[in-house]
Amino acid sequence: MREHGCSEESLLSFLSMKKKEDRGYDHVLSSMCSIPHPIAAKAHAMFLETNLGDPGLFRGTAALEEMLVGRLGALFHHRGAGGYATSGGTESNIQALRIAKRCAGVRDPNIIVPESAHFSFDKACDMLSVEMRTVACDETFRMDSDTVQELIDQNTVCIVGIAGTTEYGMVDPIEVLSDIAVDRDIFLHVDAAFGGLVLPFLENPLPFDFALPGVASISVDPHKMGLSTIPVGCLLTRDNATLHLLNVDTPYLTVKHACTLSGTRSGAPVASAVAVLEYLGREGMRAVVAGCMKNTRRLIEGMETWGYPVAVNPDVNVATFNCPETPPGWLVSRTRRGHMRIVCMPHVHRNVIEEFLQDISELPCSKN
Ligand SMILES: *Cc1c(COP(=O)(O)O)cnc(C)c1O
């Protein structure tokens, strides 16, 4: 590093130059993150120095974390849910598998995940030395529950169902998985990182949460559809005690135990997540989700008009198409099967969709 510090002016101009190299969200159709709600940014700025790794020092911030867990637990039909604010879906999934593994206490543990599972499960299984058994999806890109039954053995410590898959926006048959989990006494983790803040606000929500008796834990990411600042996820457990299976002694902190994976962790995004939920309420969240779903349907209708059929009709605001080309200037992503994938996040407004469809219509292979 430099010997003598530079002036604030030259530093800030350097930083804004770097910021300009970033891609703004305006033509980004591939991301599950979005521009934070203005109230999230305000709340975040108020809690910059807070550290939830030592919650005794930040009692108010710790109360906000409890509030986040309480609100999300209630939203998922279980007011007494345990949980804590993670850094996102990856940490939540790792921690859920740690709990499941600890609960079962078997020698050579395996878990059962759909082929559509997020890559965080690859990381988790590697770290935890757990065998991953993958279940193919049916023609609607949902986990095939018959195969789940076949793959279970006495070393199966967890079944994972996805509520809003990252690639295709599908919800696995969680109700059936819940029955299997109860029947065979296996921990069922629902990865609702994306869908957890979409599904409860739909008119006819698919069942995925603690209302189903087999669901033992849920991951949900406020930093995706919760419009908070980055990074904040939340792991929720039906039974508070299971979370504390992960406790380690923390002798030199203000609290005696911690169950979290990270040590030092900022309270700022947690405050921002609570702020958005409080500020918008269920009514405001329903409006956000309704807007995203309406745009998703409009996008699908428009793409089909130009001759690009959907790969599957999605349960949440992720749309996928048989469309090999991408119009210049747009950022879409491609699924492992090669479908064009577009996430209709809140920053993807109706006018953005219309502009994209206009550019699509000008592709050489579009129907007109
Ligand atoms: C985004 C996502 C994750 C990973 O979340 P991060 O916040 O990126 O760690 C896990 N599962 C699903 C279904 C996701 O959509």
Side-chain angles (χ1 to χ4, degrees):
M1 63 189 278
R2 53 169 86 222
E3 181 62 26
H4 301 291
C6 70
S7 72
E8 180 175 332
E9 195 190 355
S10 69
L11 179 70
L12 292 179
S13 91
F14 169 74
L15 292 180
S16 51
M17 192 178 80
K18 284 294 146 196
K19 184 90 197 288
K20 282 201 197 96
E21 290 173 20
D22 288 352
R23 219 177 142 128
Y25 273 108
D26 49 330
H27 284 188
V28 174
L29 308 181
S30 58
S31 175
M32 285 191 151
C33 290
S34 200
I35 302 164
H37 193 286
I39 208 74
K42 281 190 188 166
H44 187 106
M46 288 173 68
F47 288 83
L48 288 181
E49 75 284 21
T50 61
N51 172 20
L52 285 169
D54 204 354
L57 297 179
F58 302 97
R59 285 169 197 267
T61 315
L64 290 179
E65 180 177 19
E66 262 179 48
M67 204 169 145
L68 180 66
V69 170
R71 292 284 191 274
L72 293 173
L75 188 64
F76 298 159
H77 300 102
H78 182 34
R79 287 183 185 280
Y84 79 95
T86 64
S87 58
T90 300
E91 179 179 342
S92 303
N93 289 340
I94 291 169
Q95 293 286 82
L97 292 198
R98 286 182 71 205
I99 293 172
K101 188 182 172 193
R102 191 98 17 128
C103 284
V106 300
R107 258 284 199 73
D108 294 306
N110 67 69
I111 66 162
I112 298 176
V113 304
E115 64 178 339
S116 54
H118 186 263
F119 49 77
S120 48
F121 290 101
D122 296 298
K123 301 181 188 177
C125 287
D126 179 49
M127 289 167 67
L128 302 175
S129 302
V130 166
E131 178 200 344
M132 185 159 85
R133 298 189 171 176
T134 308
V135 174
C137 289
D138 61 18
E139 65 291 345
T140 67
F141 297 87
R142 294 186 179 94
M143 190 179 202
D144 174 40
S145 51
D146 290 338
T147 316
V148 175
Q149 289 276 24
E150 288 161 23
L151 290 182
I152 293 173
D153 64 18
Q154 72 280 7
N155 291 328
T156 302
V157 300
C158 187
I159 302 169
V160 174
I162 319 286
T165 56
T166 315
E167 286 193 320
Y168 290 95
M170 303 310 292
V171 178
D172 285 327
I174 311 291
E175 211 167 356
V176 182
L177 298 179
S178 165
D179 290 343
I180 297 173
V182 171
D183 241 32
R184 314 279 298 251
D185 192 22
I186 297 171
F187 193 99
L188 172 60
H189 174 62
V190 175
D191 182 359
F194 187 77
L197 285 169
V198 178
L199 297 166
F201 306 113
L202 293 176
E203 262 165 48
N204 297 303
L206 289 161
F208 77 101
D209 65 16
F210 292 118
L212 303 171
V215 173
S217 63
I218 300 177
S219 34
V220 53
D221 279 356
H223 68 205
K224 291 178 177 167
M225 283 296 288
L227 294 175
S228 72
T229 55
I230 296 171
V232 54
C234 196
L235 173 66
L236 295 157
T237 56
R238 177 180 296 277
D239 180 358
N240 208 12
T242 58
L243 193 61
H244 297 297
L245 291 172
L246 302 183
N247 275 351
V248 295
D249 295 338
T250 51
Y252 45 82
L253 297 184
T254 52
V255 288
K256 295 265 174 304
H257 309 285
C259 64
T260 60
L261 186 58
S262 28
T264 302
R265 57 196 176 101
S266 175
V270 176
S272 90
V274 172
V276 176
L277 296 184
E278 290 300 293
Y279 186 76
L280 294 181
R282 285 180 191 249
E283 185 186 42
M285 284 300 296
R286 275 198 293 270
V288 169
V289 167
C292 293
M293 292 306 290
K294 196 170 164 201
N295 288 338
T296 308
R297 285 190 292 270
R298 166 62 191 138
L299 175 67
I300 290 173
E301 176 204 51
M303 288 294 285
E304 299 209 309
T305 316
W306 297 124
Y308 303 108
V310 274
V312 63
N313 239 320
D315 295 322
V316 297
N317 43 322
V318 178
T320 46
F321 302 96
N322 288 300
C323 180
E325 282 184 275
T326 305
W330 292 92
L331 212 81
V332 301
S333 55
R334 295 276 160 194
T335 68
R336 284 169 282 190
R337 298 185 194 205
H339 292 118
M340 171 190 275
R341 167 183 174 271
I342 291 175
V343 191
C344 291
M345 291 302 287
H347 67 268
V348 183
H349 299 293
R350 176 65 184 257
N351 62 312
V352 178
I353 301 274
E354 296 304 334
E355 196 190 327
F356 178 75
L357 287 171
Q358 179 61 39
D359 291 357
I360 280 280
S361 75
E362 287 159 16
L363 290 177
C365 47
S366 293
K367 228 170 44 182
N368 47 32

